[in-house]
């Protein structure tokens, strides 16, 4: 099957949707499908052979974050050419709600179009104004996929109808083994991975909890990986604790795996706006003992606390209390690790990609994807 996949966000900027599309494309190719991806990317970005750049992206505040999107006549023309030359059996568009490449693809193509909805957000005035424009594209979608109950709820509330629920995937074996990063003998490490300067990722809550814990646990360290301003992070904790915080910055895929294997507790203190939690499934694959905020998406992935401990969202005191309990209980950490390694297999791409292909096969019977030359 020839599959065209549309990524709305900049390929060369880390993000959950980009990881999802990359792993889906590679899983499909492993199963013998021909896959082409189109996405925004900077001019000097190194792209895999299967990715076509639609041009540079611009940063746009969106859903409590800053997303890098591409929109306009030049982008539309490049998408049109890609659709025309691809001769796809199915076009798979991600996040067609937002003003980026996915929405453009819906406008310029016709035929079997599958859309995946990732985000969870509330109704806003901007979306209400844009709804008629968005609907003109969404009416072309043949089948819908939601990665979570929260994403499905957003879809239903905005445009009605329903979607097949297929969760985000994770390449479990990619994370199962990793050489830990160097650490002091006998030390305790809490880890965080995410954008340091993105409020909804909740790093300030973890930093406050670390400030509460550190005086009582002299061997405790904090390991932080992800893009952002290291200076701003250190400003949030007393200067006496600066040498107990390891800031890795942006890490390679290999070092990310090593980071998951370097912590006693992996913490996901997100405040909301998450419909799934890819970072959790990666940490679960590595067998990390997880402590996460009790937002609905995380509760579901962690089987209501069976595969990872939960704390009260936004509460540094709750985080500190639960983290201390885990650090003091190696047996519980080992049990959570075992539960996580077992629970995560239902999200492995070997399962998830097959479910996506079943959706493709259902809609592909109507014929191939064509350029829409309707005025």
């Amino acid at each position: 099957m020839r599959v065209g996949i549309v990524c709305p966000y900049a390929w060369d900027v880390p993000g959950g949707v980009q990881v999802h599309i990359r792993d889906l494309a590679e899983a499909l190719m492993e199963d013998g499908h021909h896959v082409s991806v189109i996405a925004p990317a900077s001019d000097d970005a190194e792209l895999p052979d299967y990715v076509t750049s639609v041009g540079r992206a611009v940063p746009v505040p969106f859903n409590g974050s800053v997303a890098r999107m591409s929109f306009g006549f030049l982008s539309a023309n490049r998408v049109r050419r890609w659709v025309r030359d691809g001769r796809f059996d199915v076009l798979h568009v991600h996040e067609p709600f937002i003003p980026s490449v996915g929405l453009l693809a819906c406008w310029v193509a016709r035929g079997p179009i599958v859309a995946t909805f990732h985000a969870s957000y509330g109704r806003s005035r901007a979306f209400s104004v844009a709804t008629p424009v968005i609907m003109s594209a969404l009416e072309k979608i043949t089948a819908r996929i939601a990665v979570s109950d929260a994403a499905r709820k957003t879809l239903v509330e905005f445009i009605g109808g329903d979607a097949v629920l297929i969760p985000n995937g994770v390449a479990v074996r990619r994370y199962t083994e990793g050489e830990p990063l160097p650490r002091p003998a006998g030390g305790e490490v809490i880890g965080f991975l995410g954008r340091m300067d993105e409020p909804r990722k909740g790093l300030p809550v973890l930093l406050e909890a670390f400030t509460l814990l550190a005086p009582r646990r002299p061997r405790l360290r904090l390991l932080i990986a992800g893009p952002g301003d290291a200076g701003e992070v250190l400003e949030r904790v007393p200067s006496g604790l600066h040498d107990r915080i390891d800031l890795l910055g942006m890490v390679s895929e290999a070092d990310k795996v090593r980071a998951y294997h370097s912590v006693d507790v992996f913490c996901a203190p997100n405040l909301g706006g998450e419909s799934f939690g890819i970072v959790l499934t990666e940490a679960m694959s590595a067998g990390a003992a997880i402590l996460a905020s009790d937002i609905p998406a995380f509760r579901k992935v962690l089987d209501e606390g069976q595969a990872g401990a939960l704390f009260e969202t936004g509460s540094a005191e709750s985080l500190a209390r639960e983290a201390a309990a885990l650090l003091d209980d190696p047996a519980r950490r080992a049990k959570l690790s075992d539960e996580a390694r077992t629970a995560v297999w239902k999200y492995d791409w070997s399962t998830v990609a097959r479910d996506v292909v079943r959706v493709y096969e259902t809609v592909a019977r109507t014929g191939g994807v064509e350029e829409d030359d309707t005025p």
Side-chain angles (χ1 to χ4, degrees):
M1 184 178 294
R2 296 181 64 86
V3 182
I5 303 180
V6 183
C7 176
Y9 304 130
W11 188 265
D12 49 332
V13 178
V17 174
Q18 296 93 313
V19 170
H20 175 107
I21 292 171
R22 179 200 67 193
D23 289 349
L24 171 60
E26 293 177 0
L28 292 173
M29 287 187 287
E30 285 181 8
D31 285 344
H33 301 283
H34 174 87
V35 179
S36 177
V37 175
I38 191 166
S42 58
D43 296 337
D44 58 351
E46 293 185 12
L47 304 176
D49 292 341
Y50 59 84
V51 176
T52 297
S53 174
V54 76
R56 296 174 58 191
V58 295
V60 178
F62 179 75
N63 197 28
S65 178
V66 176
R68 287 163 175 80
M69 312 177 193
S70 184
F71 200 75
F73 290 112
L74 179 59
S75 297
N77 287 335
R78 289 178 176 175
V79 174
R80 186 183 297 276
R81 187 183 315 119
W82 174 78
V83 168
R84 183 175 60 243
D85 296 343
R87 304 177 64 84
F88 303 120
D89 298 301
V90 174
L91 189 65
H92 189 170
V93 176
H94 290 256
E95 296 289 45
F97 268 156
I98 67 170
S100 190
V101 190
L103 188 60
L104 294 175
C106 289
W107 276 333
V108 306
R110 63 183 176 191
I113 300 177
V114 175
T116 290
F117 297 85
H118 296 259
S120 168
Y121 38 76
R123 187 173 288 277
S124 69
R125 184 175 181 180
F127 268 108
S128 298
V129 172
T131 295
V133 178
I134 294 172
M135 285 300 297
S136 67
L138 299 189
E139 287 171 353
K140 292 185 173 183
I141 293 171
T142 318
R144 304 166 177 173
I145 296 171
V147 301
S148 68
D149 289 329
R152 175 194 273 170
K153 182 173 182 288
T154 296
L155 170 65
V156 171
E157 289 182 352
F158 271 82
I159 63 173
D162 205 349
V164 177
L165 183 60
I166 302 178
N168 279 299
V170 61
V172 172
R173 289 185 177 85
R174 182 183 297 159
Y175 299 94
T176 52
E177 301 291 338
E179 181 69 24
L181 299 167
R183 58 182 281 183
E188 304 171 320
V189 179
I190 297 175
F192 168 91
L193 191 146
R195 297 188 184 97
M196 295 188 290
D197 53 0
E198 187 171 322
R200 70 186 176 97
K201 298 302 180 183
L203 181 57
V205 179
L206 175 57
L207 293 172
E208 184 179 346
F210 179 69
T211 302
L212 296 173
L213 285 168
R216 304 193 299 269
R217 310 186 79 94
R219 294 185 174 181
L220 179 65
R221 301 188 67 84
L222 194 57
L223 178 69
I224 299 174
D229 189 323
E232 290 183 3
V233 172
L234 294 177
E235 285 177 0
R236 291 182 174 271
V237 297
S239 59
L241 299 179
H242 287 184
D243 62 351
R244 293 168 62 181
I245 299 178
D246 300 309
L247 294 162
L248 303 184
M250 185 88 73
V251 293
S252 66
E253 189 70 22
D255 283 342
K256 180 169 70 170
V257 175
R258 295 183 68 190
Y260 285 131
H261 285 272
S262 303
V263 301
D264 297 289
V265 173
F266 179 79
C267 185
N270 305 53
L271 301 178
E274 307 290 343
S275 67
F276 182 73
I278 288 178
V279 70
L280 291 188
T281 56
E282 292 176 351
M284 291 165 72
S285 301
I290 295 170
L291 175 60
S293 54
D294 61 354
I295 61 176
F298 286 3
R299 295 187 71 96
K300 185 174 180 64
V301 172
L302 295 175
D303 290 342
E304 299 297 324
Q306 292 299 306
L310 299 164
F311 70 92
E312 182 184 346
T313 301
S315 170
E317 293 79 10
S318 177
L319 194 166
R321 183 171 57 252
E322 295 299 328
L326 283 176
L327 292 168
D328 289 335
D329 193 343
R332 186 183 176 210
R333 296 203 309 271
K335 185 176 187 300
L336 289 175
S337 174
D338 290 341
E339 292 283 353
R341 287 183 186 273
T342 299
V344 77
W345 278 103
K346 62 176 171 285
Y347 301 113
D348 186 66
W349 276 112
S350 61
T351 298
V352 175
R354 283 200 301 268
D355 291 339
V356 173
V357 169
R358 290 191 186 100
V359 177
Y360 292 167
E361 291 172 341
T362 300
V363 301
R365 298 169 187 166
T366 61
V369 177
E370 300 176 344
E371 177 187 358
D372 190 346
D373 54 6
T374 305

